[in-house]
Amino acid sequence: MFNVFASYSTLDLQNVAELQRALVGTGVKVFVAEHSVLPSQALAPTISRAISACDLFVLIWSKNAKGSEWVSQEIGQALSLQKPILPLVLTEDMALPGFISDLKYVPVFKDPAKGIVSARNVMLRLLKAKQAAQQRKKQTEKETLALLGIGAFFLWAVSQK
């Protein structure tokens, strides 16, 4: 599973829904506060936990997002946790906020369908990289256990003399 946190203005929820639809069945799970936080749940701690747990922070950047206090706080938390950030820019000539202004972004405003496909491809590449790293870790653990087993057998054999 690859966890994505979507940071957005609720006025741009349609764009977030398009991204979610493009990722159905891929192994990428998108946290969208509008749908992921249940009534009666506190927003701030639930959102904080989701950002902490995400593999990728996706910023849906627009004039609406620029005016959102939540979005700026979410960006700050993602930066403090050193989360990779993928900005999807919905509005032409919208500079990214200060601390992430040097990031390469997906210009969704040019061609929304192509932008969503491009973002999807980035996420799928990151998912594959995560899966490969997990596989290497499992292989290393198996090799370590095998070596420990051989070492234990050798020590046992030597102690039998």
Side-chain angles (χ1 to χ4, degrees), residues 5-69:
F5 180 91
S7 181
Y8 60 93
S9 162
T10 54
L11 298 173
D12 297 321
L13 195 54
Q14 177 184 338
N15 300 94
V16 178
E18 290 172 25
L19 180 64
Q20 275 189 300
R21 279 192 295 276
L23 294 165
V24 169
T26 63
V28 176
K29 179 182 174 193
V30 182
F31 179 94
V32 177
E34 190 73 20
H35 307 296
S36 302
V37 180
L38 300 173
S40 82
Q41 275 187 305
L43 280 170
T46 305
I47 287 172
S48 289
R49 281 191 301 275
I51 294 171
S52 295
C54 78
D55 296 301
L56 177 67
F57 181 93
V58 173
L59 171 62
I60 310 297
W61 189 240
S62 67
K63 289 179 183 175
N64 300 323
K66 184 177 182 178
S68 168
E69 289 182 31

Side-chain angles (χ1 to χ4, degrees), residues 48-102:
S48 289
R49 281 191 301 275
I51 294 171
S52 295
C54 78
D55 296 301
L56 177 67
F57 181 93
V58 173
L59 171 62
I60 310 297
W61 189 240
S62 67
K63 289 179 183 175
N64 300 323
K66 184 177 182 178
S68 168
E69 289 182 31
W70 281 95
V71 170
S72 61
Q73 291 178 38
E74 292 164 357
I75 293 168
Q77 184 174 357
L79 284 170
S80 72
L81 295 170
Q82 299 179 340
K83 296 294 181 174
I85 299 174
L86 174 63
L88 307 181
V89 179
L90 303 182
T91 309
E92 192 169 7
D93 298 326
M94 280 284 302
L96 293 171
F99 285 116
I100 63 169
S101 61
D102 63 334

